[in-house]
Amino acid sequence: MSTLHFGSALLPSGWADDVQVMVTDATITKVTTGVAPAARDERHQLAVPGMANLHSHAFQRGMAGLAEMRGNTADTFWT
């Protein structure tokens, strides 16, 4: 378990000061606001939520074969 302390953090309820975040096995297990940093806390100034990676190439399965044309048989993927 590790404990992080942020001077300010953007939470679902809005901006909060003196935020302590407990992390266990790479999962946030507890968030407490209005807490002074403890000696063991890893300290940071600011925390904002990360964006989920929604990147996908699924559309390429539907496009497969629609834009390509057969070229010289000596061509490779890189040419």
Side-chain angles (χ1 to χ4, degrees):
M1 180 180 76
S2 62
T3 307
L4 309 170
H5 184 274
F6 298 95
S8 294
L10 182 57
L11 303 176
S13 59
W15 284 101
D17 292 328
D18 288 324
V19 179
Q20 186 182 62
V21 178
M22 291 186 157
V23 179
T24 306
D25 296 326
T27 301
I28 295 174
T29 55
K30 185 176 181 182
V31 176
T32 310
T33 60
V35 178
R40 69 183 186 285
D41 291 353
E42 181 179 317
R43 298 177 191 193
H44 300 278
Q45 279 299 110
L46 184 68
V48 293
M51 291 182 59
N53 182 358
L54 301 176
H55 183 88
S56 174
H57 287 265
F59 68 91
Q60 289 177 320
R61 292 184 65 78
M63 277 182 45
L66 299 177
E68 298 93 5
M69 290 187 289
R70 182 111 174 125
N72 185 344
T73 57
D75 284 346
T76 67
F77 172 80
W78 302 110
T79 59

